[in-house]
Amino acid sequence: MGAMIEIKNLGKTFFTKENQVVALEGVSLEIEEGEIFGIIGLSGAGKSTLVRCMNYLEKPTTGSVVFDGQALHTMSEKQLRKARQSISMIFQGFHLLMQRNALQNVCFPLEIAGVPKKEAEKKAKEMLELVGIADKMQAYPSQLSGGQKQRVAIARALATNPKVLLCDEATSALDPTTTRSILALLQEINRKLGVTIVIITHEMGVIEAICKRVAILDRSHVAEMGKVEDIFVNPQSEIAKQLIYPQGRKEGTFQKGECVRIVFDGRSSFEPVVSNMVLACGTAVNILFADTKNIDGQAFGQMLLQLPDDETAKRKIFAYLTSRNIHFEEEFANV
Amino acid sequence: MFNAQMMQLLAKGIWETLYMTLVSSFLAYLLGLPLGLLLIVTDKNGIRPMRVLNRLLSFVINFVRSVPFLILLIAVIPFTRFLVGTSVGSTATIVPLVLASAPFVARMVESSIKEVDRGVVEAAQSMGASPWQIVWKVLLPEAKPSLILNAAIATTTILGYSAMAGFVGGGGLGTISINYGFYRYQSDVMLVTVLLLVVIVQVFQEIGMRIAMKGDKRSH
């Protein structure tokens, strides 16, 4: 499959009276058709600017954005507006029209596209059914919960049959349970409709849950990019390590070799990995840090174990982990 | 004191006051609504930033608003004569009323529309909405409750101005109050006219509030 969005050497500088702020510099990335691509970074890293360059709500200062084979910078305002109907967007704050009910909200982009009213309503109903809130059709946004509002926003974003759905911190205002259900919905939409999804977030959990590939943005640059599991297992950049170990990690307290970090990258949640290891090796380990999640019956996350001093026991553990195909690496740790 | 003649005079006064206020309010919105929209749209964070036009418009609006109404009323007499043929009576008063209140209305409209969440505008832009579509389908409908509430305030302000025009023969309850109550020391007439104005203001305000509340989908 080809690239849906191709960004080359993108730069964006905001000019104010006194100074200039570089929001993005030399960003290049390709988002494949049909994938779920994540962009993660701390606040101020330039994520939101990057996603707004993808639909030219922000015009980049340098570089180019090619959407589905068309270079956006060569387009007139009118052509851009037409193109934007194929690049939908959802937001952290939902941004629904407060004076319109759910159905009318979903009709809105269709009205803009000039779809006749009857046809628009039919499509809008289908979309609300797809996102699972057809029963709230007549409700106004003020009567809906955050999760329901985001579902309406997703239905609205999908109404024009877009090729790409940009999600700007779409789950950041939601509680963990609602976040999971919205992420599951996005995954379902990606599978069912083949819509390419770009997810902007500051939460590693969101990336782990549904993204195939990820770009890590740090201070206006792409620090690291690749498959989620590769980066998760073996983060290279400082920022990637910071995002993967949210508690922070300073070296020194434990010597390398005293600790091992094991990574859960989607094996069954029902397999008691650590217990089995302890039983098999006949030696106790101390769990220093653990951050795991169960997503659809699969375990994701990591655990930091303090190893016994005994070299033989250590080797036994390494051998066991290798034999069970569990990824691990020796670590320094400071807990 | 309150003989048939006086009652008739007061009835005519009420009618003239309502006529001046409502026609002036309508015309003031006809001018002020587009001006207010223009202020918003051409703002530096607006959907079509145009700095020079925005600054100029803002200056003119502030300029007119800083002229005291009574001064404006007299200053535009030649213009009023040119338009209406006379400078006294309620129809003539509509001219200065509209001129004085249109800039005020423009600012009211501006502030109502500023309440619309910037994010909703951005969402519309991300769907490919044109500036016109944003004005018609987002800004105006989303600001509607606030626009109506402000319209009630604007109307009552115009009513106050219309009473002031009584000093120069503007017609309506203001003229009655000044001619009978002030010049002839008939304080009972003055009191009645003031009470009538109070009632009219209360009614306008209440109607505006009710329509705004009923139409606002945020307050369910």
Side-chain angles (χ1 to χ4, degrees):
Chain A
M1 281 198 215
M4 181 55 86
I5 297 176
E6 211 180 328
I7 292 172
K8 271 201 198 120
N9 201 23
L10 189 93
K12 173 78 189 179
T13 307
F14 291 102
F15 295 94
T16 59
K17 262 185 200 144
E18 287 85 31
N19 54 353
Q20 49 194 60
V21 181
V22 179
L24 294 169
E25 205 176 7
V27 172
S28 295
L29 49 90
E30 271 183 32
I31 296 167
E32 304 291 318
E33 188 179 344
E35 78 171 326
I36 303 184
F37 189 89
I39 297 172
I40 188 168
L42 303 173
S43 53
K47 309 179 293 267
S48 285
T49 308
L50 178 56
V51 77
R52 275 161 185 75
C53 284
M54 289 183 191
N55 59 6
Y56 257 52
L57 279 181
E58 293 286 3
K59 298 208 174 18
T61 333
T62 58
S64 67
V65 179
V66 178
F67 164 72
D68 200 21
Q70 313 153 274
L72 295 184
H73 67 272
T74 62
M75 290 186 179
S76 67
E77 271 300 314
K78 213 173 161 191
Q79 287 171 314
L80 263 180
R81 290 204 288 265
K82 184 86 192 140
R84 285 194 191 121
Q85 291 171 9
S86 305
I87 320 171
S88 281
M89 195 165 177
I90 58 172
F91 307 85
Q92 177 173 9
F94 321 121
H95 299 341
L96 296 175
L97 293 152
M98 299 303 283
Q99 305 294 343
R100 284 181 175 226
N101 66 26
L103 186 70
Q104 292 164 334
N105 260 291
V106 182
C107 284
F108 180 67
L110 297 164
E111 277 172 32
I112 285 171
V115 177
K117 197 170 180 236
K118 274 228 172 99
E119 215 176 296
E121 275 188 6
K122 189 169 160 266
K123 178 79 183 175
K125 279 178 192 161
E126 278 173 33
M127 288 297 117
L128 285 170
E129 235 149 75
L130 178 77
V131 301
I133 48 164
D135 55 324
K136 298 281 181 194
M137 215 148 62
Q138 305 297 336
Y140 286 90
S142 61
Q143 299 164 305
L144 298 173
S145 70
Q148 290 170 329
K149 279 186 215 168
Q150 198 57 290
R151 280 172 192 266
V152 175
I154 291 170
R156 182 173 74 169
L158 295 174
T160 48
N161 298 323
K163 292 184 173 139
V164 176
L165 178 62
L166 306 174
C167 310
D168 184 17
E169 297 275 8
T171 57
S172 302
L174 305 172
D175 63 65
T177 314
T178 314
T179 295
R180 271 196 292 279
S181 77
I182 293 290
L183 291 177
L185 175 66
L186 289 175
Q187 209 163 25
E188 185 193 328
I189 284 160
N190 171 260
R191 269 199 297 258
K192 264 193 193 162
L193 310 177
V195 179
T196 308
I197 297 182
V198 181
I199 297 211
I200 303 285
T201 184
H202 64 272
E203 291 169 296
M204 201 61 195
V206 171
I207 301 286
E208 284 168 50
I210 64 168
C211 295
K212 207 181 94 191
R213 292 196 307 140
V214 64
I216 300 178
L217 220 53
D218 182 32
R219 283 164 291 172
S220 319
H221 294 82
V222 174
E224 206 170 333
M225 182 161 57
K227 284 188 174 167
V228 173
E229 58 264 34
D230 292 346
I231 289 186
F232 199 68
V233 169
N234 194 11
Q236 297 296 317
S237 58
E238 264 315 301
I239 181 73
K241 287 175 192 164
Q242 228 183 82
L243 286 161
I244 293 169
Y245 320 101
Q247 272 80 359
R249 191 179 62 143
K250 290 188 204 93
E251 295 174 18
T253 312
F254 286 86
Q255 292 296 309
K256 192 175 174 100
E258 287 176 354
C259 294
V260 66
R261 187 163 70 97
I262 61 176
V263 175
F264 299 90
D265 50 1
R267 62 177 46 242
S268 169
S269 303
F270 304 106
E271 184 188 333
V273 173
V274 177
S275 300
N276 284 349
M277 182 182 82
V278 168
L279 290 173
C281 304
T283 159
V285 293
N286 182 18
I287 300 176
L288 294 173
F289 169 81
D291 179 23
T292 59
K293 296 179 187 66
N294 173 15
I295 296 158
D296 283 339
Q298 290 180 301
F300 286 92
Q302 55 187 325
M303 225 176 247
L304 196 60
L305 305 178
Q306 187 186 3
L307 298 179
D309 287 336
D310 180 18
E311 275 301 317
T312 344
K314 233 184 258 181
R315 247 174 281 137
K316 244 185 190 172
I317 289 175
F318 291 157
Y320 175 79
L321 290 172
T322 315
S323 74
R324 299 304 317 255
N325 255 331
I326 296 167
H327 184 88
F328 70 95
E329 51 189 88
E330 288 177 67
E331 277 290 338
F332 300 98
N334 173 29
V335 181
Chain B
M1 165 64 245
F2 286 105
N3 50 26
Q5 207 188 345
M6 184 50 85
M7 295 308 266
Q8 215 174 4
L9 195 69
L10 284 173
K12 189 167 166 259
I14 294 172
W15 160 247
E16 281 181 354
T17 291
L18 289 176
Y19 162 72
M20 279 190 290
T21 305
L22 293 175
V23 173
S24 299
S25 300
F26 176 75
L27 293 176
Y29 267 87
L30 217 56
L31 278 174
L33 190 67
L35 288 179
L37 281 169
L38 208 57
L39 276 174
I40 286 282
V41 169
T42 61
D43 185 82
K44 68 176 192 295
N45 297 317
I47 45 180
R48 263 294 152 80
M50 284 184 251
R51 204 172 145 200
V52 177
L53 180 65
N54 189 273
R55 286 264 176 100
L56 189 75
L57 191 60
S58 191
F59 175 78
V60 172
I61 286 172
N62 287 345
F63 181 84
V64 179
R65 286 200 60 201
S66 52
V67 178
F69 177 62
L70 223 48
I71 306 290
L72 188 94
L73 187 68
I74 294 159
V76 299
I77 283 177
F79 181 62
T80 309
R81 279 222 185 91
F82 168 75
L83 273 186
V84 191
T86 172
S87 66
V88 291
S90 43
T91 303
T93 307
I94 290 173
V95 178
L97 276 178
V98 171
L99 286 176
S101 51
F104 170 66
V105 167
R107 287 286 183 216
M108 291 285 239
V109 168
E110 184 192 19
S111 91
S112 290
I113 291 178
K114 267 206 176 133
E115 288 168 31
V116 176
D117 185 1
R118 181 78 187 82
V120 181
V121 175
E122 194 187 30
Q125 284 173 326
S126 80
M127 292 168 204
S130 66
W132 267 117
Q133 286 174 318
I134 291 174
V135 168
W136 284 113
K137 290 182 178 289
V138 181
L139 294 181
L140 287 174
E142 288 292 296
K144 204 170 91 184
S146 167
L147 284 170
I148 292 170
L149 217 54
N150 278 346
I153 298 174
T155 308
T156 51
T157 305
I158 291 169
L159 182 82
Y161 280 171
S162 85
M164 232 190 274
F167 262 113
V168 289
L173 291 172
T175 297
I176 296 170
S177 167
I178 283 156
N179 287 349
Y180 292 81
F182 191 68
Y183 293 135
R184 298 191 195 169
Y185 302 107
Q186 287 180 290
S187 24
D188 47 352
V189 176
M190 175 138 56
L191 194 70
V192 169
T193 51
V194 170
L195 280 177
L196 284 170
L197 287 169
V198 168
V199 170
I200 295 172
V201 168
Q202 296 287 348
V203 169
F204 280 160
Q205 193 61 47
E206 189 62 29
I207 291 173
M209 293 271 256
R210 290 215 179 158
I211 298 175
M213 289 285 279
K214 208 171 163 218
D216 193 354
K217 309 301 184 195
R218 286 171 301 181
S219 53
H220 270 270

